[in-house]
Amino acid sequence: MLCGAGVLLAVAAAPAQAAEVSYATECIPPPISGLPPVEGTTKVEIKAPAEAKVGDEVTVAWKFVQAASKNPDVLDLDKDTVKPTGTLKAAGAQTADIAMEGPRSNPAIPKNSEMKLSDMTGRLKLTAAGEVTLTPDAYNINVNKPISTDTKCSPKETVQPAATIKVSDGGGSGGTTGGLPTVVPTLPTGVPTNLPTGLPTGSSSPAPTVSETGGDGGGSGGAGGGGGGQTDFTGKEVRVPYACKTPIGDKNATSPVQIDAKKDGGSFALTVRFKKSVMDSPADIPKDSVKPSMEVVVGGADKGTVHVEGPTNASDIKSGDPIEIPDLTGTYKPGASGRSTLSPGVLTIKALGTTTTCTPTRSEVSLTLDTSEQPGGTSGGSSTSGGTSGGTSGGLARTGADDHGALKALGLVAGTAILLGGAVFTFLPRRAR
């Protein structure tokens, strides 16, 4: 894999030697996971020629005796989805960063079992006589399904050399490395904390005016929802505190949300808008993999919920691009006459076979409408076409705080965080040395 037809053949220097070394390691999960750095112990075996000559190009091998982790009880990893790369430090008679790479070749790795990483190899062109020591350094673990993600690991202590090559003067000279490029990935020092807050808009909407919002009760509509001929009703933006259940644990967050309505006969077409961006995507997300929905809570004269939903992402979301939630739409058919309120309710995001559910810890009214009871819209009833559905009163218990961190429900891509390197590694306790 590492030697094409146009690459110099490595010198068959003899004899070969292999030595094992272990070191404390810190690994940085992908930013999207929201997980802190984790620590464990890496054990590797380095194999290299015991002797060689200046001018020789030698092959060195890195075998993972023990990865610094187990695969946690979250996700089974498929066969041939994990690929390691890393850096081997050459020092002594010459210095070099040797780029190491292993094939994407692993057995299926069940939840809560040992990680299995393939052996890595690299090349070194010897340039000076003397002893050249080889010491393992940072490494990266890439998982490519269903999206490509990386966990970056680096030593947290001075690592001892694992092998030494005795280089005799052969009169040759050349570069310090051969074969693979020697660029070492830059390792982050922690999970980013400066993510922008809120959730994105699918489209813009005018800010509610004093006359539209009706004060703390949210935007309001006229009698019968018509308002003397009015058909469009703009809700006020409310900050909704959510308690989210995700595949990687519970998350608390707050998001600005606005509910607008358009009168259509005796019913109302609802549009739920998320007002701000969550974050830029730290990984590529395939098209048609994320679908959001919400149960809008109906209160006041009417009681129940209205199902609204948005489309899946129409195109791939590239790493670094903003993650956006589209507008969620549905139809509200009033089940009672009077002043009825609309509040953001349970938000559900489905992606790649996983589900994240975010429940408001406090009810926040965005829009108030004057409604007239409609056939088939009985209060407390259910409807598969977006009408009022039962079981939910307009109010939710007032618990939790206003000042949560940025809403990561979509940033986690409804559980795709379990597919990212950060969720692939649960580290063993650090050993006393």
Side-chain angles (χ1 to χ4, degrees), residues 225 231 233 261-269 331-332 374:
T231 59
F233 305 93
K262 184 178 182 66
K263 184 173 172 58
D264 182 11
S267 299
F268 296 87
T331 301
Y332 167 44
Q374 300 296 310

Side-chain angles (χ1 to χ4, degrees), residues 109-131:
I109 305 175
K111 302 173 187 177
N112 200 31
S113 64
E114 297 290 336
M115 287 297 299
K116 301 296 183 182
L117 302 177
S118 64
D119 295 350
M120 302 192 294
T121 57
R123 293 177 181 277
L124 175 65
K125 185 84 175 276
L126 300 173
T127 61
E131 292 189 348

Side-chain angles (χ1 to χ4, degrees), residues 32-33 199 278-279 282 285 323 407-414 416-417:
I32 196 173
S33 70
L199 286 171
V278 185
M279 62 184 295
I285 300 172
I323 299 176
L407 178 57
K408 296 178 183 176
L410 191 62
L412 292 170
V413 198
T416 55

